[in-house]
Amino acid sequence: MRVLVLNGSPKKRSDTFRMTERFLQGLNPAGEHAITVVNVIEKQIAPCRGCFGCWQQMEGHCLIDDDQNGILDLYRTSDLVIWSFPLYCYGMPSHLKAVLDRTIPLVKMKMVQQDDGRVQHEALADFSKIHTLVISGCGFPDWEGNFDALRMQCKQCFGNLTMVCVPETPMLNVPQAAVVADPLLSRFEQAGAEYAQSLTLSPETIQELETPMIPREMYIRIVNGN
Ligand SMILES: Cc1cc2nc3c(=O)[nH]c(=O)nc-3n(C[C@H](O)[C@H](O)[C@H](O)COP(=O)(O)O)c2cc1C
């Protein structure tokens, strides 16, 4: 399986990427999969100009001559694309959103109605085999609404989607929190193995991965230093 990992954290020691790394260890224990990790923050990716030049003359590429065309080439030949990023203002960080916006060369202007009533642009080629996994960490404790906008956006944008949204992820880089962080990271490794088998995760697995490491009130108290 060809796996493209889009690491959207701008940090060297990303809380979110710690989970993704363990997931990859479980997914690829014997190194049989070809995994490419792109640290998006290190790439030159300008915002989309909205010129639609891609639809008029570029055949699956973007008129802007920067690193995005290389990402598009990796994307279209992947079996699995993992979007790994921290939640920023209830969505994805802007540099990663630029990557998402600029996947527009992969579709045509032509619109098609899906069976569920949604209207989408027709894909340039059959990308239905590409699976998408979103792993997003965030700084708030678990509360209804924090991930809602992101979940909706990903549902509209990606086919074959599996999403894991994890609260309290700054705990993963606090040595004193290892007692609760390590079991979560182990669970991510198991989830990677599960994904390699089934190309999805069971609702039970997702629920376990999304369960807060510590209760909300305790987390807020620790963050606030009291
Ligand atoms: C600009 C910015 C916006 C953020 N917005 C949110 C948010 O909407 N909800 C949330 O729970 N955490 C938010 N956070 C916290 C990050 O999601 C959190 O610190 C995360 O663990 C960082 O992950 P990383 O180490 O992988 O980059 C925000 C952080 C930054 C810097």
Side-chain angles (χ1 to χ4, degrees), residues 61-134:
H61 288 97
C62 180
L63 275 177
I64 305 171
D65 184 16
D66 63 9
D67 291 330
Q68 179 68 7
N69 281 328
I71 291 181
L72 288 174
D73 288 338
L74 288 168
Y75 195 105
R76 77 181 98 234
T77 54
S78 292
D79 302 295
L80 168 63
V81 179
I82 301 179
W83 299 73
S84 169
F85 58 90
L87 190 69
Y88 274 14
C89 300
Y90 312 104
M92 56 176 72
S94 54
H95 49 278
L96 187 64
K97 177 63 165 44
V99 171
L100 178 61
D101 291 347
R102 289 183 56 202
T103 56
I104 204 87
L106 299 178
V107 297
K108 304 177 202 166
M109 182 154 68
K110 183 179 173 192
M111 295 182 188
V112 284
Q113 286 215 51
Q114 306 298 335
D115 293 341
D116 61 5
R118 287 190 303 153
V119 179
Q120 290 183 317
H121 290 291
E122 187 172 277
L124 203 66
D126 180 14
F127 298 127
S128 62
K129 68 161 187 58
I130 301 178
H131 290 256
T132 302
L133 172 68
V134 170

Side-chain angles (χ1 to χ4, degrees), residues 7-11 13-18 85-91 137-141 143 146-147 168-171 173:
N7 172 22
S9 174
K11 290 160 54 182
R13 280 172 53 81
S14 160
D15 309 324
T16 314
F17 201 70
R18 287 200 68 191
F85 58 90
L87 190 69
Y88 274 14
C89 300
Y90 312 104
C138 81
F140 279 140
W143 59 274
N146 198 19
F147 280 107
E168 303 176 350
T169 46
M171 302 254 295
N173 274 317

Side-chain angles (χ1 to χ4, degrees), residues 39-50:
N39 296 319
V40 173
I41 199 70
E42 294 167 3
K43 299 292 174 188
Q44 294 297 320
I45 297 166
C48 176
R49 292 181 195 148

Side-chain angles (χ1 to χ4, degrees), residues 18 168 171-187 212-215 218 222:
R18 287 200 68 191
E168 303 176 350
M171 302 254 295
L172 296 172
N173 274 317
V174 177
Q176 298 91 316
V179 64
V180 289
D182 287 352
L184 177 64
L185 292 171
S186 298
R187 194 66 190 87
M213 285 169 269
I214 58 174
M218 186 190 290
I222 293 171

